[in-house]
Amino acid sequence: MLPSVSSLAVVGLALLSRVSGTILQNGQVRITNFPNTRVDPSAHSFTTYPQNATQISYQGRWDSKYVSWWSAPGLKFGFTGPQVAISFGPLTSPGVLVGYRIAGMDWQFTNITAGGTHLLVTEQTPGLDLNITGAVTTFELRVTNWAYGVQIDSIHVAAGHKAVKLPDAKRKIEVIGDSLAAGMYTSYEGLSSWAYGVGAGLGNTDYSITAYPGICAADQDCWGNPRGQVHQWFYTSDTSGRAAQAYGDNPDLWDFTKDKPADLVIINIGTNDQNRANNVPPSVYADALTKLIQGVHGKYPDAQIIVMSLWLGFERTGNTFLSVSHKGFINEIRDMIAMFNSEAYLRDPMTYDGRTKTVSRIGRKTKPFVHLFNTTGILQHNDIGPQWHPTDVGAIKVASHLLQYIKLTLGWELEATGPEVFHETLYWNDEPNY
Ligand SMILES: *[C@@H]1O[C@H](CO)[C@@H](O)[C@H](O)[C@H]1NC(C)=O
Ligand SMILES: *[C@@H]1O[C@H](CO)[C@@H](O)[C@H](O)[C@H]1NC(C)=O
Ligand SMILES: *[C@@H]1O[C@H](CO)[C@@H](O)[C@H](O)[C@H]1NC(C)=O
Ligand SMILES: *[C@@H]1O[C@H](CO)[C@@H](O)[C@H](O)[C@H]1NC(C)=O
């Protein structure tokens, strides 16, 4: 799916060297050929749009300097003509790997240079149909890793062509979580995560993933994350060292009016609270998760909320493996869901404000809006890698079950017919007899 060297030469790329990253696959280095897409912009004739152009739809959390945060942040826009390039600002993490694609094609990957201009779509890009004059194609880009980010300086299309604002998708979801949602230890991290799979698999759905590895629900230091989601979810930036460097102790509050509110929020948090190393008492966890749900409810009053039960890997028991999910705050999660669904709560629901740390009334709800997605029995022994996280296949299984749960529980149709692409998971057998 990558443009060949000769095709790159056709469009006058100055830099043809290839770089390769290291993705470990069962302990072996996976062969990757991330093309070097950096170009000298002065050798090209572009129509350019600034970082704040209304044509660009940013996905996930971006700050006022157009720097991205959290897991798999991205952007999309429509374009006409044979080229798309992006100039990245100096606050880009050096060498950060991004995925990008047109329409519902497979993702391509390239390492980004801070301050560089990268030519990402050319006439040779698979799926680009230049036969229809003026046809608008969708361009999408996502940062693969939660800890790194990009800064957008400007976007470019071929001279004489244009970028177009795409309409918002019909639906919007947000996933709030930790490393499990961020895609830690899957091949392409955020772009191999179940959270991505749910967003892309629903189709006609914008998605953002407010997840960071190691983070707790409770507001305390967990594995070096200084704050928990009950606090940090209200802020633009995540709990990374990069964010600490950019903002110190004064991150920007996230402006929830900037984007369309989510219609569905999926929360999977508590695996780190539950870990003895972080020592969060069950009551403190339950209080934090309750406030996080009330916070989501305050910011998105019409959103449905799905809380996932925790899964915590496997223990060998005799000659088989047993899920240890029974240790994951089961009673706290069950009691909390029951509380949210009680007639008494629906009569007098609450919201939580992460800035003032206050709980307040919001007014009667007629229908329950918090749902439990029980993950027990989805992941089996070889769906979890040695680092206790889903494998690529495990992530696809979680996404698939969750998609069906969303369809059955909320009545959302699955509108994707192709674009839920998990890069490099295509393998098959061509032998009929052996
Ligand atoms: C490209 O990104 C991959 C994945 O993060 C990384 O392993 C590799 O070192 C990067 N290559 C360069 C040249 O920055
Ligand atoms: C983008 O930023 C420039 C420079 O600050 C400003 O002049 C322009 O009005 C902004 N455009 C939009 C669409 O906000
Ligand atoms: C575009 O037109 C050319 C020449 O007529 C043809 O060979 C090619 O298959 C067309 N491409 C698509 C995607 O229809
Ligand atoms: C999830 O299902 C399992 C198996 O039915 C059950 O033991 C567990 O209590 C359930 N978890 C919650 C949070 O309800």
Side-chain angles (χ1 to χ4, degrees):
M1 303 306 288
L2 301 168
S4 68
V5 169
S6 61
S7 69
L8 290 175
V10 170
V11 294
L13 265 188
L15 300 156
L16 292 174
S17 65
R18 286 175 176 239
V19 292
S20 53
T22 37
I23 293 174
L24 290 183
Q25 180 173 283
N26 299 343
Q28 310 289 312
V29 175
R30 178 184 294 190
I31 312 284
T32 52
N33 277 304
F34 304 137
N36 186 342
T37 51
R38 190 172 182 193
V39 293
D40 173 1
S42 69
H44 290 264
S45 180
F46 288 138
T47 300
T48 296
Y49 297 79
Q51 55 185 191
N52 64 345
T54 53
Q55 286 83 356
I56 308 172
S57 305
Y58 288 94
Q59 310 287 308
R61 297 198 182 178
W62 294 74
D63 68 18
S64 56
K65 293 179 176 148
Y66 297 88
V67 174
S68 68
W69 300 99
W70 299 94
S71 183
L75 55 78
K76 63 174 187 178
F77 55 86
F79 68 97
T80 65
Q83 289 178 347
V84 171
I86 297 182
S87 295
F88 294 87
L91 299 177
T92 299
S93 307
V96 59
L97 191 69
V98 302
Y100 59 97
R101 66 170 171 181
I102 62 164
M105 300 299 288
D106 197 357
W107 294 92
Q108 304 187 57
F109 292 84
T110 192
N111 294 88
I112 299 299
T113 314
T117 295
H118 289 258
L119 182 61
L120 302 173
V121 175
T122 70
E123 275 158 59
Q124 280 67 40
T125 298
L128 190 62
D129 186 355
L130 297 170
N131 289 3
I132 307 163
T133 312
V136 174
T137 308
T138 301
F139 175 83
E140 244 186 302
L141 175 141
R142 295 266 173 176
V143 178
T144 58
N145 181 279
W146 51 87
Y148 305 134
V150 295
Q151 180 182 36
I152 300 298
D153 173 79
S154 51
I155 65 165
H156 319 274
V157 296
H161 292 276
K162 60 181 183 195
V164 177
K165 182 177 170 56
L166 296 169
D168 285 337
K170 181 169 94 179
R171 312 178 285 214
K172 175 151 189 210
I173 69 164
E174 178 167 343
V175 177
I176 303 173
D178 51 31
S179 57
L180 294 167
M184 197 172 197
Y185 300 115
T186 48
S187 291
Y188 288 95
E189 303 187 319
L191 276 177
S192 303
S193 67
W194 56 262
Y196 154 72
V198 172
L202 282 168
N204 210 344
T205 301
D206 287 328
Y207 57 92
S208 59
I209 308 173
T210 321
Y212 201 86
I215 198 168
C216 282
D219 193 20
Q220 66 161 62
D221 188 304
C222 289
W223 308 116
N225 293 287
R227 309 296 297 251
Q229 282 288 30
V230 67
H231 171 86
Q232 200 68 32
W233 181 71
F234 295 91
Y235 291 84
T236 304
S237 50
D238 51 46
T239 45
S240 60
R242 186 170 67 99
Q245 217 171 23
Y247 289 109
D249 289 336
N250 290 306
D252 291 340
L253 274 170
W254 176 242
D255 176 4
F256 285 92
T257 63
K258 218 159 113 171
D259 282 347
K260 208 174 101 170
D263 303 299
L264 167 63
V265 175
I266 299 165
I267 303 177
N268 178 214
I269 190 111
T271 303
N272 296 304
D273 302 69
Q274 178 276 338
N275 194 296
R276 251 181 238 123
N278 299 315
N279 208 19
V280 176
S283 59
V284 174
Y285 167 73
D287 179 61
L289 184 51
T290 301
K291 289 202 170 92
L292 179 60
I293 292 170
Q294 291 170 333
V296 169
H297 190 52
K299 297 302 181 188
Y300 311 135
D302 298 324
Q304 299 293 308
I305 298 172
I306 293 175
V307 178
M308 292 168 73
S309 67
L310 307 181
W311 70 82
L312 307 168
F314 291 85
E315 266 170 7
R316 183 159 173 178
T317 307
N319 59 2
T320 188
F321 288 81
L322 285 180
S323 161
V324 294
S325 55
H326 60 279
K327 291 183 184 162
F329 292 137
I330 295 232
N331 296 335
E332 287 71 23
I333 291 176
R334 199 192 284 134
D335 293 351
M336 193 199 59
I337 303 272
M339 187 278 286
F340 275 110
N341 285 308
S342 67
E343 181 48 36
Y345 189 80
L346 292 169
R347 215 180 298 131
D348 193 15
M350 302 287 173
T351 60
Y352 175 71
D353 182 320
R355 185 177 57 86
T356 59
K357 314 269 177 250
T358 50
V359 175
S360 52
R361 306 195 129 78
I362 193 173
R364 182 176 174 81
K365 284 276 160 187
T366 48
K367 277 207 208 110
F369 56 94
V370 182
H371 312 270
L372 171 68
F373 177 65
N374 191 329
T375 54
T376 299
I378 295 175
L379 296 181
Q380 307 292 327
H381 173 219
N382 59 352
D383 296 327
I384 294 191
Q387 305 283 3
W388 291 60
H389 285 68
T391 60
D392 289 0
V393 172
I396 292 169
K397 282 175 75 175
V398 174
S400 302
H401 282 262
L402 198 41
L403 283 164
Q404 194 65 14
Y405 176 86
I406 291 167
K407 179 176 173 178
L408 294 174
T409 309
L410 306 179
W412 288 24
E413 288 305 319
L414 308 186
E415 296 190 14
T417 50
E420 186 192 347
V421 183
F422 283 81
H423 187 66
E424 285 170 3
T425 57
L426 178 65
Y427 58 93
W428 67 89
N429 169 44
D430 278 344
E431 285 290 331
N433 308 300
Y434 58 94

